Amino acid sequence: MIIKRNDLNKYKASGREGHKSSKESLLECAQMHNTSGYEFVGGEGYLSPSSIKTWMKCPRFFYYDKLDPDLKVRRVNLKMHYGSSGHKAMEILYKKILKNEAIIKEEIVSYATDYYQRGLEDPEVPMDEKENLQASEFDEVVGTTKDNLVVCVEAYVDNKEHEKVGQILNVEQDFLMTLDGIPFYGIVDLETSSKIVDFKFAQGSAGVQMRKSDIPGDIQLWTYEKNYSKPGAFNIIIPPPKTKRSERHLVTEICRTDYLTWADDDFMEVTHDMLREIQAGRFTKRGAITGGCQGCRYKEACNVKHSV
């Protein structure tokens, strides 16, 4: 059973929906169609690909990040915020293309930098680096990161990368599907006539190598492929040298089908194992998150508090 937004309108027309948002409607569908026998955590009623990826890296990090009532709070770091700001630029760019609106580079860059600045100034969302760096060091990192963001967005438009992805069908589309009675909810960055694209903003070539190693077992791309019956691909955007933009590719595309080693059964086995462990209250420390245990934001709680 697959539900996309274009199918959701039919569900609303039945008179059962009232004035709920599309996400609320999808999540109600998730609760209705959950026949897996598992109780889902957090009251969400679904699994997201990102939550499963977090679990695969470290179940205990998952516990603190998603479940612990004392620690569960929205947090960001500059790496995450850099990626979110780049995504905002891609969203605006491709929505303009869908609407046949003029693409003005300065406008796209402005959207990205404004979003970036607002995130830095949001008092409600703690940022890791503000707590771990001296003020001067933080300002330096912010300056470099913002500069890379501008370079990336400018080069992306200048190089006409948006003309290379194929016919654009949907931008920032949410979806819900069930596999083995388990609801999966997610949002795709870009659907084209031939593939599903997920944008990744990295600040160095290490990001490409990391993604190549992740790709065979990437449950995010796998769920996209299952929902849309198209190959999923990461478009990894790395800032080129300012003086040599034409001499270096801005975008490295990695398709999961090029590195395919995991089968459907492998993904579902991981998912079922995760749900069984959660129901049993077992959150084993694995430490495979970026930076390892030493760089984990929950390392203090993990050392002194964890008792499940």
Side-chain angles (χ1 to χ4, degrees):
M1 188 277 297
I2 297 174
I3 300 176
K4 298 181 186 177
R5 272 189 172 165
N6 55 348
D7 300 317
L8 189 61
N9 292 329
K10 301 175 185 177
Y11 185 67
K12 286 183 176 181
S14 68
R16 300 165 62 187
E17 279 304 303
H19 298 287
K20 296 176 183 176
S21 69
S22 61
K23 181 173 182 179
E24 288 175 327
S25 301
L26 284 172
L27 300 190
E28 183 170 309
C29 285
Q31 294 169 357
M32 291 172 57
H33 292 280
N34 174 18
T35 59
S36 66
Y38 296 110
E39 294 181 9
F40 284 81
V41 297
E44 295 173 324
Y46 67 90
L47 288 180
S48 68
S50 61
S51 67
I52 300 174
K53 289 169 75 171
T54 299
W55 174 272
M56 292 170 69
K57 292 178 180 179
C58 184
R60 191 164 301 179
F61 183 95
F62 173 94
Y63 172 79
Y64 288 128
D65 204 52
K66 307 291 185 183
L67 302 179
D68 189 294
D70 297 323
L71 297 177
K72 182 183 175 183
V73 62
R74 186 185 167 211
R75 297 183 64 94
V76 297
N77 57 45
L78 283 176
K79 180 180 177 181
M80 294 166 54
H81 189 50
Y82 172 79
S84 298
S85 303
H87 272 82
K88 178 58 63 174
M90 295 298 101
E91 177 186 351
I92 297 300
L93 171 65
Y94 283 102
K95 282 184 175 178
K96 283 184 171 293
I97 294 172
L98 271 181
K99 296 176 182 178
N100 292 316
E101 296 179 357
I103 297 173
I104 303 172
K105 178 176 65 177
E106 292 76 15
E107 184 179 352
I108 305 299
V109 171
S110 179
Y111 274 112
T113 55
D114 288 350
Y115 184 91
Y116 183 85
Q117 193 61 39
R118 287 197 303 272
L120 293 178
E121 297 170 353
D122 188 346
E124 300 298 322
V125 182
M127 183 166 287
D128 291 345
E129 287 85 353
K130 283 186 178 180
E131 300 174 2
N132 300 326
L133 296 176
Q134 298 290 333
S136 58
E137 294 176 304
F138 179 75
D139 290 343
E140 182 178 353
V141 175
V142 166
T144 300
T145 305
K146 189 173 182 178
D147 183 59
N148 282 340
L149 177 65
V150 171
V151 169
C152 272
V153 176
E154 286 184 344
Y156 195 92
V157 178
D158 286 341
N159 296 351
K160 299 187 184 300
E161 298 288 348
H162 51 281
E163 297 180 0
K164 304 173 185 178
V165 299
Q167 181 185 1
I168 300 162
L169 302 181
N170 288 293
V171 181
E172 288 290 310
Q173 183 185 60
D174 51 1
F175 71 88
L176 170 72
M177 68 176 184
T178 59
L179 297 168
D180 284 358
I182 302 170
F184 290 80
Y185 171 79
I187 301 175
V188 299
D189 293 344
L190 184 67
E191 179 189 5
T192 75
S193 55
S194 61
K195 61 190 173 185
I196 303 299
V197 176
D198 187 82
F199 295 108
K200 301 292 183 186
F201 279 74
Q203 298 193 59
S205 58
V208 175
Q209 296 306 317
M210 177 189 70
R211 289 298 168 187
K212 283 184 178 179
S213 65
D214 283 350
I215 208 80
D218 194 274
I219 202 163
Q220 180 180 358
L221 295 187
W222 178 75
T223 54
Y224 294 168
E225 292 165 14
K226 285 294 159 188
N227 190 52
Y228 291 91
S229 300
K230 299 175 184 178
F234 288 136
N235 273 17
I236 304 173
I237 302 172
I238 300 174
K242 294 181 182 179
T243 57
K244 299 181 180 179
R245 293 185 186 178
S246 62
E247 297 179 19
R248 179 178 172 185
H249 292 295
L250 175 71
V251 177
T252 299
E253 182 168 291
I254 304 175
C255 289
R256 197 179 77 88
T257 49
D258 296 335
Y259 297 85
L260 187 57
T261 58
W262 281 36
D264 291 0
D265 289 346
D266 297 317
F267 285 105
M268 293 313 301
E269 183 179 353
V270 168
T271 302
H272 283 292
D273 285 347
M274 168 187 171
L275 292 172
R276 283 193 291 265
E277 291 295 289
I278 290 173
Q279 287 205 161
R282 290 190 291 264
F283 301 89
T284 306
K285 181 166 68 173
R286 191 172 299 154
I289 57 173
T290 303
C293 290
Q294 193 58 34
C296 178
R297 68 172 64 127
Y298 301 118
K299 64 180 179 181
E300 293 183 8
C302 188
N303 289 334
V304 302
K305 178 183 176 182
H306 192 83
S307 60
V308 295

